[in-house]
Amino acid sequence: MKIHSLKSGSKGNASLVYTDKTKILVDCGISGKAVKTAMADIGFEPGDLDGIVVTHEHADHIKGIGVMMRRYNVPVYANSMTWSAIMTNDLGKLNDDKIKIFEGVEPFSIGDIGIKPFPIPHDAAYPVGYCFDAVSYTHLTLPTKLEV
């Protein structure tokens, strides 16, 4: 399992976590065009994505999810409180069948990557970081926006 930060900062956040079989975007706070360019720089295309997992609802983490759902048919995963907060943003039409809701810190998987959300301190509805486990027994923990 590998990770590439596509963009990190107050103007947008997106990281690619991937194995040979599964590609997951952690947050999508950049435009669809920026995602396409950043992924091309490392040899991937947005159409390769198996899902987007959202850490929290701030614009610099979700700005591009509507475009990614519509243009590339990518499912987007977030906990129920985060989805409720996301729905107050203007992201355009979202594909209901691509909205994937999990409760709290309920583990789930996308392809061959197991995902375990965990709560993090931040000024959002229910912010989480993610711990990723691949079938290859690789383990990766990705907290974002930790505040004390």
Side-chain angles (χ1 to χ4, degrees):
M1 183 165 43
K2 295 182 180 179
I3 183 170
H4 280 279
S5 176
L6 303 181
K7 177 79 174 172
S8 180
S10 61
K11 296 188 190 273
N13 296 277
S15 297
L16 181 67
V17 174
Y18 63 97
T19 65
D20 290 339
K21 297 179 182 177
T22 305
K23 278 72 174 169
I24 300 171
L25 203 58
V26 179
D27 290 330
C28 188
I30 58 179
S31 70
K33 182 178 180 180
V35 170
K36 183 177 181 179
T37 300
M39 288 186 72
D41 287 346
I42 57 172
F44 297 108
E45 298 178 9
D48 297 333
L49 289 170
D50 296 292
I52 298 170
V53 295
V54 176
T55 59
H56 63 286
E57 71 278 2
H58 293 165
D60 61 327
H61 291 261
I62 66 164
K63 181 173 38 180
I65 65 173
V67 169
M68 297 303 289
M69 287 175 108
R70 288 187 298 276
R71 189 171 296 156
Y72 300 106
N73 210 27
V74 180
V76 178
Y77 298 74
N79 65 59
S80 58
M81 291 177 69
T82 297
W83 264 117
S84 293
I86 286 172
M87 299 310 281
T88 65
N89 290 276
D90 182 20
L91 298 172
K93 178 161 175 42
L94 301 179
N95 300 345
D96 290 340
D97 63 324
K98 295 299 175 185
I99 294 174
K100 307 297 181 185
I101 299 172
F102 60 89
E103 292 303 322
V105 293
E106 173 186 325
F108 60 99
S109 63
I110 301 173
D112 65 347
I113 299 177
I115 302 164
K116 297 174 190 158
F118 57 91
I120 59 170
H122 191 48
D123 62 339
Y126 192 86
V128 296
Y130 292 102
C131 180
F132 299 93
D133 287 299
V135 173
S136 64
Y137 301 104
T138 305
H139 178 83
L140 172 69
T141 300
L142 186 64
T144 62
K145 295 282 185 166
L146 294 177
E147 295 177 355
V148 233

